[in-house]
């Protein structure tokens, strides 16, 4: 990358205070948006064409790897992302590096053992227990939540934007919303067929290598 630096986690750097010590805000690194796009613009072919993004599959695999690595670094520090979703992630056009946004809303392990809980999540990316137990953002398990939402996003990256709980209902008992389908475990892209839902006609998953 010719020695160029890329912001990969837009983490707050310093507090801003007035002369009396009152909080005014904080500074954050400036991300070059001219070199990046929202991750959701990478997911579907039409969006990739509009943004002039690479169409080769290797690029999307590389983005998936970089995203996993960035999230791992956040977890190493004891924090959780919780509201992880494509609109909170930027992708750099040239090299497939990623930048995690909205870090001020993370579940933070603070000093002296104090935990600062997240205040938001997105139901389409909420792990099953969060749905079945009707958990609030401040009571979810950050690690389990992040693993689930990352798995959903990786599936979307590799399968042209399809959500892993989208599909073709069999019968009339399948709930309409993605959140309800997550709660009922209606994943239909595994080796074992789901009796209530079939894969979407647009899926690419049958072309994936078993590894």
């Amino acid at each position: 990358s010719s020695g160029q630096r890329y912001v990969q986690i837009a983490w707050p750097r310093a507090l801003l205070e007035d002369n009396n010590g009152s909080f005014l805000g904080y500074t954050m690194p400036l991300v070059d948006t001219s070199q990046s796009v929202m991750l959701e613009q990478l997911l579907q072919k039409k969006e990739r064409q509009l943004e002039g993004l690479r169409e080769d599959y290797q690029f999307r695999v590389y983005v998936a790897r970089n995203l996993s690595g960035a999230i791992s670094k956040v977890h190493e520090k004891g924090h959780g992302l919780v509201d992880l979703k494509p609109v909170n992630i930027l992708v750099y056009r040239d090299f497939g590096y990623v930048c995690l946004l909205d870090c001020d809303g993370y579940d933070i392990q603070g000093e002296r053992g104090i935990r600062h809980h997240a205040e938001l999540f997105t139901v389409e990316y909420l792990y099953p227990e969060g749905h079945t137990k009707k958990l609030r953002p401040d009571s979810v398990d950050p690690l389990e939540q992040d693993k689930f939402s990352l798995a959903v996003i990786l599936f979307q990256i590799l399968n042209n934007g399809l959500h892993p709980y989208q599909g073709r209902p069999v019968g009339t008992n399948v709930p309409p919303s993605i959140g309800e389908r997550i709660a009922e475990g209606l994943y239909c892209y595994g080796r074992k067929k789901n009796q209530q839902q079939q894969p979407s006609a647009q899926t690419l998953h049958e072309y994936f290598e078993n590894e």
Side-chain angles (χ1 to χ4, degrees):
S1 59
S2 304
Q4 184 171 348
R5 296 177 64 87
Y6 293 87
V7 177
Q8 297 187 69
I9 303 178
W11 197 265
R13 287 177 171 169
L15 294 177
L16 294 176
E17 300 174 339
D18 62 19
N19 292 333
N20 297 319
S22 298
F23 175 73
L24 297 176
Y26 47 82
T27 63
M28 298 179 73
L30 180 64
V31 180
D32 188 350
T33 55
S34 69
Q35 296 189 58
S36 58
V37 298
M38 290 294 204
L39 176 61
E40 64 177 354
Q41 294 171 290
L42 176 73
L43 300 183
Q44 296 183 351
K45 185 173 183 177
K46 182 179 292 185
E47 288 289 334
R48 292 194 293 272
Q49 291 175 335
L50 288 173
E51 292 295 332
L53 298 172
R54 288 168 51 181
E55 186 57 37
D56 61 283
Y57 206 72
Q58 182 178 356
F59 182 71
R60 276 170 274 166
V61 173
Y62 192 60
V63 169
R65 188 190 75 170
N66 289 338
L67 175 60
S68 301
I71 293 172
S72 177
K73 290 297 182 183
V74 175
H75 288 167
E76 285 177 10
K77 299 297 183 180
H79 311 310
L81 290 77
V82 179
D83 194 26
L84 178 62
K85 54 188 176 183
V87 295
N88 288 344
I89 303 162
L90 288 177
V91 176
Y92 290 100
R93 296 173 179 272
D94 292 338
F95 297 100
Y97 300 143
V98 302
C99 178
L100 303 178
L101 305 178
D102 286 357
C103 302
D104 52 309
Y106 287 3
D107 191 280
I108 302 296
Q109 180 57 59
E111 297 178 349
R112 299 183 296 277
I114 299 174
R115 192 87 191 180
H116 303 278
H117 296 291
E119 297 181 351
L120 294 171
F121 55 58
T122 300
V123 294
E124 291 84 3
Y125 296 88
L126 177 64
Y127 71 130
E129 189 175 0
H131 289 282
T132 57
K133 293 188 175 181
K134 303 186 185 306
L135 299 178
R136 302 187 310 273
D138 60 358
S139 57
V140 302
D141 182 323
L143 183 58
E144 290 302 312
Q145 165 59 15
D146 287 355
K147 288 192 295 186
F148 180 82
S149 55
L150 174 61
V152 170
I153 294 171
L154 296 182
F155 187 94
Q156 291 181 298
I157 291 173
L158 300 176
N159 206 3
N160 276 339
L162 274 178
H163 192 287
Y165 286 83
Q166 278 181 275
R168 295 176 292 174
V170 177
T172 59
N173 294 325
V174 175
S177 75
I178 295 294
E180 291 172 304
R181 294 183 187 189
I182 293 172
E184 295 191 16
L186 300 185
Y187 177 77
C188 58
Y189 298 90
R191 293 179 177 176
K192 184 178 179 181
K193 288 187 176 182
N194 189 296
Q195 298 303 312
Q196 293 180 267
Q197 185 165 236
Q198 295 179 355
S200 167
Q202 287 75 41
T203 185
L204 302 175
H205 79 285
E206 292 181 348
Y207 295 97
F208 295 167
E209 295 289 342
N210 289 335
E211 291 77 9

